[in-house]
């Protein structure tokens, strides 16, 4: 048995960091971007999705994602309800780790992926519909795609690489968010300004901090790749934020805090698939390109087509994840991740990356469309116009984020 204590400590810490990204990081980040009257509903969407997907992960999700391969498409149900796994067993996918720890770590990835989509649907989606979407989308989109790339499925055999989730996490959630937003339609009220940018700042910091576990932990041990991935992650993050800020300053004469925060998240999403393959110079360029390309997607493309992806899940995560998967093939360095990219004269990784992006993209779009149509037929997708205008916090949850003091 090759169980390594130091590796297990690092992955347990990384698991906690990824959990922190969602709860409270993502919840606070999204909450601050929402109108005051629907902040709690937005936060509840994140918490609920995380809990539900974690539950189905333990029941059957891990087995479908990392169980014995069936035709390159899906895993078996050998691990249904985590049956047959002992506390002392090493993980089949990484025998330096305890099996339970590997399951726990991967569970946080599945849960945050579904929770990410919530940002596209805020202020207008039925809570019951969101619960059904979380279950169905996790089951029929995330679990198969995770198996294809990380669980020994057909894309791993093609050679598609995704170090920490540019395709598995960000492309799927981004495209799922776009399809869902199109089917839901626009909000009834004009697009709002964030209710609390201080909360957005705190959420950004928590997400950035948690991303050390997201990317650094994906090395599945405390080694040189984990250190390099974490360092590359920070460089791409601040370069994405600075690039976005300067783009706003040049084009609109105002360097906004929201632009800086959004650019940081764009840099983080874009470096994710490449973080364990590129050096610090590659990370710097990836951060700059993330700030430019995601800025164009959010500021220009979204406005041109007029879709209401409320918190820019597609423009930041979807576009960033796909961009990072391509840039992996450009900037990969053999000394770090055992492969060279285009800048080192090796074009061989480009085609597997393109195949992965196209396959995951088509599958996600089609399945998300089917899932949303099914949920709409069962419970309906949207709240009523009155509920939307009055705010979902009171109408759905019977609460308000700030209560007025009692007058004596």
């Amino acid at each position: 048995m090759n169980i390594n204590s130091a590796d297990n400590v690092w992955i347990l810490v990384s698991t906690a960091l990824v959990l922190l990204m969602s709860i409270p990081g993502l919840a606070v980040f999204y909450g601050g971007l929402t109108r005051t009257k629907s902040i709690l509903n937005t936060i509840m969407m994140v918490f609920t999705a995380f809990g539900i997907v974690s539950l189905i992960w333990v029941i059957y999700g891990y087995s479908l994602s990392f169980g014995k391969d069936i035709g390159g498409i899906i895993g078996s149900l050998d691990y249904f309800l985590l049956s047959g796994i002992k506390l002392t067993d090493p993980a089949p996918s990484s025998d330096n780790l305890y099996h339970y720890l590997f399951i726990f770590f991967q569970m946080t990835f599945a849960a945050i992926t579904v929770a990410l989509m919530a940002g596209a649907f805020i202020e207008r989606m039925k809570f019951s519909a969101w619960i059904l979407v979380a279950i169905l989308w996790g089951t029929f989109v995330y679990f198969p795609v995770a198996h294809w790339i990380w669980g020994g499925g057909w894309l791993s055999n093609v050679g598609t690489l995704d170090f920490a989730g540019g395709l598995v996490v960000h492309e799927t959630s981004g495209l799922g968010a776009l399809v869902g937003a199109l089917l839901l339609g626009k909000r009834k009220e004009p697009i709002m300004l964030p209710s609390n940018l201080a909360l957005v700042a705190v959420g950004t910091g928590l997400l950035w901090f948690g991303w050390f576990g997201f990317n650094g932990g994906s090395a599945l041990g405390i080694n040189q790749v984990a250190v390099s991935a974490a360092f590359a992650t920070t460089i791409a993050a601040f370069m994405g934020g600075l690039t976005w800020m300067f783009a706003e300053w040049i084009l609109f004469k105002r360097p906004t805090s929201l632009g800086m925060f959004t650019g940081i998240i764009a840099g983080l999403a874009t470096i994710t698939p490449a973080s364990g393959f590129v050096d610090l110079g590659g990370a710097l360029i990836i951060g700059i390109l993330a700030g430019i390309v995601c800025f164009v997607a959010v500021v220009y493309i979204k406005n041109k087509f007029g879709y209401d992806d409320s918190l820019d899940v597609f423009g930041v995560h979807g576009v960033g994840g796909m961009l990072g998967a391509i840039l992996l093939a450009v900037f990969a360095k053999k000394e770090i991740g055992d492969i060279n990219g285009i800048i080192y004269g090796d074009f061989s990784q480009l085609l597997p990356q393109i195949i992965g992006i196209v396959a995951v993209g088509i599958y996600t779009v089609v399945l998300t469309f089917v899932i949303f149509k099914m949920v709409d037929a069962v419970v309906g997708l949207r709240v009523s116009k009155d509920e939307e205008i009055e705010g979902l916090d009171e109408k759905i949850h019977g609460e308000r984020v700030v209560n007025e003091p009692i007058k004596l």
Side-chain angles (χ1 to χ4, degrees), residues 72 103 107 261 297 322 342 397 402 407:
I103 296 167
M107 181 189 81
F261 304 149
M322 290 185 281
I342 292 172
H397 306 289
V402 177
K407 295 180 180 180

Side-chain angles (χ1 to χ4, degrees), residues 10 163 212 215-217 219-231:
W10 168 235
F163 187 73
F212 288 117
N215 289 357
L220 299 179
I222 185 63
N223 49 44
Q224 72 278 8
V225 176
V227 174
S228 178
F231 200 174

Side-chain angles (χ1 to χ4, degrees), residues 3-50:
I3 296 292
N4 182 293
S5 296
D7 290 347
N8 278 271
V9 169
W10 168 235
I11 302 306
L12 184 58
V13 170
S14 294
T15 302
L17 288 172
V18 181
L19 176 61
L20 181 75
M21 290 173 70
S22 293
I23 303 171
L26 185 66
V28 170
F29 181 79
Y30 279 177
L33 290 169
T34 308
R35 267 183 277 241
T36 304
K37 60 188 178 182
S38 293
I39 287 179
L40 294 176
N41 177 257
T42 299
I43 291 173
M44 281 287 286
M45 288 177 76
V46 173
F47 271 67
T48 303
F50 197 95

Side-chain angles (χ1 to χ4, degrees), residues 25 67 90 108 213 275 297 336:
T108 59
S275 56
I336 297 173

Side-chain angles (χ1 to χ4, degrees), residues 172-340:
T172 58
S173 61
L175 287 173
L178 177 62
V179 172
L182 289 170
L183 292 176
L184 271 168
K186 294 183 180 181
R187 285 165 286 181
K188 300 298 183 184
E189 294 184 299
I191 306 303
M192 80 294 188
L193 293 174
S195 63
N196 192 326
L197 283 170
L199 278 182
V200 180
V202 172
T204 302
L206 289 170
L207 284 164
W208 190 347
F209 181 59
W211 230 290
F212 288 117
F214 202 81
N215 289 357
S218 292
L220 299 179
I222 185 63
N223 49 44
Q224 72 278 8
V225 176
V227 174
S228 178
F231 200 174
T233 297
T234 285
I235 289 175
F238 69 68
M239 287 310 302
L242 289 172
T243 301
W244 195 299
M245 182 193 74
F246 281 114
E248 282 189 327
W249 205 347
I250 293 167
L251 293 170
F252 309 129
K253 312 305 179 187
R254 291 181 183 275
T256 69
S257 62
L258 179 58
M260 168 69 86
F261 304 149
T262 306
I264 288 170
I265 303 303
L268 290 166
T270 306
I271 193 62
T272 291
S275 56
F277 298 101
V278 302
D279 63 11
L280 302 183
L284 187 147
I285 298 171
I286 288 172
I288 294 171
L289 292 173
I292 294 170
V293 175
C294 294
F295 176 85
V296 171
V298 169
V299 176
Y300 294 105
I301 295 177
K302 177 182 174 181
N303 288 334
K304 179 178 177 59
F305 290 98
Y307 55 86
D308 189 7
D309 173 4
S310 314
L311 305 184
D312 298 311
V313 182
F314 171 70
V316 173
H317 295 277
V319 171
M322 290 185 281
L323 175 64
I326 288 291
L327 294 178
L328 184 163
V330 177
F331 294 107
K333 190 173 184 179
K334 193 169 186 178
E335 289 85 344
I336 297 173
D338 295 328
I339 61 163
N340 273 330

